[in-house]
Amino acid sequence: MGDVGPAWLKGDTTSASQRPALGCRNFATNGTTTDGIAFGPIYSAVAVARPGPVVLQIDIGFEDSRILCYPFVLTGASECGLGGATALALALARPSHLVLLARTESKVRNVISAIKEISPGTLPAFVHIELDDLDSVRRAATDVLGVISKIDVLINNAGVMAIPWSKSNSGLEKTPAINHLGQFLLTKLLIPSILAAGPGSRIVNITSASASRIY
């Protein structure tokens, strides 16, 4: 990965406990991966959510340098999760903007700080969103468009699993509202700006492996 980013993202040999934790108890990195989220030859990243260490694996290539000027929008960008790991992986490729949507700003602050350290030329921004509240989704879409007018990549990453049953302020069951309806509405509201970015713009929907199971 060369000299891109801080030492703790370069596969150094210091122990996980000595590296910036981004709010996690343990944080470990290495420079190779064969799995994860991939934008063709651009990058791949995977955050392994399990008890104990949170592992971030990053592999950056610059065969396609267009990412250097891409503005990205990412939901569920909190630290210690796949969204935070994705944001850091993208920052290594120095995009123009990283607009990070999440419920809790305090859980995104360390991600934004890390982005600024990795890529000083990238402009990160936090946008509050409650995906189970459709009015909040509409406000978030307006806020996103107040930061950037064109969106090259929208990554719908946010999601929940096995939360207690309840209804949102919009009268919707929370799990399908967060995992599906809220993200659908956000995407619909941002579609004109995605199309305005021209050929190559895309929407990436992150899902669980359980989506392929038959119950």
Side-chain angles (χ1 to χ4, degrees):
M1 285 187 286
D3 294 325
V4 180
W8 51 273
L9 277 176
K10 298 178 186 175
D12 61 87
T13 58
T14 57
S15 66
S17 62
Q18 293 176 299
R19 297 173 186 160
L22 291 182
C24 304
R25 184 174 180 180
N26 292 300
F27 188 85
T29 65
N30 66 40
T32 60
T33 181
T34 56
D35 193 12
I37 305 171
F39 276 80
I42 301 174
Y43 85 97
S44 60
V46 58
V48 181
R50 63 189 181 196
V54 173
V55 180
L56 169 62
Q57 298 175 308
I58 297 175
D59 183 16
I60 297 293
F62 293 97
E63 290 89 344
D64 187 344
S65 62
R66 290 175 299 169
I67 195 173
L68 298 177
C69 60
Y70 277 180
F72 283 78
V73 176
L74 171 67
T75 69
S78 300
E79 59 186 322
C80 297
L82 184 58
T86 300
L88 297 185
L90 290 171
L92 285 166
R94 302 190 181 108
S96 64
H97 295 76
L98 278 171
V99 183
L100 310 179
L101 285 71
R103 290 179 297 175
T104 308
E105 184 174 7
S106 62
K107 293 183 179 180
V108 181
R109 286 174 186 157
N110 288 338
V111 177
I112 287 178
S113 295
I115 290 169
K116 291 178 178 178
E117 183 180 356
I118 295 166
S119 177
T122 297
L123 298 176
F126 167 78
V127 171
H128 175 259
I129 191 170
E130 300 279 349
L131 283 163
D132 58 350
D133 183 338
L134 300 186
D135 288 335
S136 174
V137 173
R138 293 184 180 96
R139 288 192 296 270
T142 299
D143 291 343
V144 168
L145 298 178
V147 177
I148 52 178
S149 59
K150 296 181 180 180
I151 301 168
D152 279 278
V153 182
L154 167 64
I155 304 176
N156 288 315
N157 165 78
V160 295
M161 177 182 176
I163 62 173
W165 190 95
S166 63
K167 285 188 175 182
S168 69
N169 291 337
S170 298
L172 303 169
E173 183 182 346
K174 284 202 169 186
T175 296
I178 293 170
N179 292 350
H180 301 285
L181 300 177
Q183 313 228 38
F184 175 84
L185 177 59
L186 178 67
T187 301
K188 181 177 183 295
L189 295 171
L190 296 179
I191 278 285
S193 296
I194 296 169
L195 294 175
S201 59
R202 66 189 71 185
I203 300 165
V204 180
N205 294 316
I206 309 300
T207 187
S208 166
S210 63
S212 62
R213 297 176 186 170
I214 299 176
Y215 293 94

